[in-house]
Amino acid sequence: MTSFACVACSTNGRCLRKSVRIVSDQELADPQFLAGVRATARALRVSPSDWLDRIYDFYRDFDGVIVDAKRNEVFLDLEVFETDHIREWFRDWICKPMAEGVRPRLRGESKERIRIIATILRAQFPFDTIQWLAANDNTPAPN
């Protein structure tokens, strides 16, 4: 099977027509959205010690662009994961199952980590993550 790419895609090494919107503050404020992100990440069955590498791999392998609400390209700052005890954070936020009826909450130091994880998962698994939109019926469908 032959694959055809436009000149811009061939030059840039990524498809400029394949875009994913970065996760918004509104989405991060919704506990149902957070629960969806967490469930999707947990379903991947990645160990806490392997999550950092997996995030870097998913981001590196994404062949599109990440855009903001105005369709400007943005780059994710993975530096937020470069901290002591990040494995424990992955263990506690992603790998541990949530107790029944508990609503996930967003702590200040976790906000950008979760935004990045959710954005990368949205880019990597667009059909699996479409369910997150059910958390907010007013959110436009991704491109």
Side-chain angles (χ1 to χ4, degrees):
M1 176 180 254
T2 305
S3 175
F4 296 98
C6 68
V7 174
C9 294
S10 298
T11 303
N12 291 309
R14 62 193 198 284
C15 180
L16 301 178
R17 290 189 231 165
K18 182 178 182 180
S19 65
V20 171
R21 186 181 39 81
I22 192 167
V23 169
S24 69
D25 286 342
Q26 180 182 2
E27 290 169 314
L28 290 175
D30 187 330
Q32 289 180 308
F33 181 85
L34 294 175
V37 172
R38 200 168 165 176
T40 300
R42 189 165 181 272
L44 295 175
R45 299 186 172 272
V46 176
S47 72
S49 60
D50 291 336
W51 258 109
L52 186 60
D53 287 339
R54 186 64 59 98
I55 288 169
Y56 277 93
D57 291 347
F58 283 159
Y59 190 35
R60 178 201 63 217
D61 295 343
F62 178 54
D63 63 349
V65 294
I66 297 173
V67 297
D68 62 14
K70 295 179 181 177
R71 312 268 320 142
N72 297 312
E73 184 174 9
V74 296
F75 297 94
L76 302 178
D77 182 4
L78 301 182
E79 191 70 26
V80 297
F81 296 107
E82 298 298 331
T83 182
D84 293 336
H85 310 293
I86 194 65
R87 286 185 187 108
E88 288 79 7
W89 184 85
F90 286 125
R91 179 197 66 206
D92 295 342
W93 202 84
I94 294 175
C95 299
K96 276 187 183 176
M98 282 189 343
E100 188 69 31
V102 172
R103 293 173 57 130
R105 60 188 174 97
L106 183 65
R107 295 175 55 177
E109 68 273 8
S110 296
K111 183 177 182 177
E112 292 309 310
R113 291 176 192 163
I114 296 167
R115 181 188 318 273
I116 289 170
I117 289 171
T119 301
I120 289 173
L121 290 176
R122 182 183 276 168
Q124 194 69 26
F125 307 104
F127 297 109
D128 295 341
T129 59
I130 197 81
Q131 67 188 347
W132 301 349
L133 295 176
N136 181 353
D137 293 335
N138 298 322
T139 304
N143 297 347

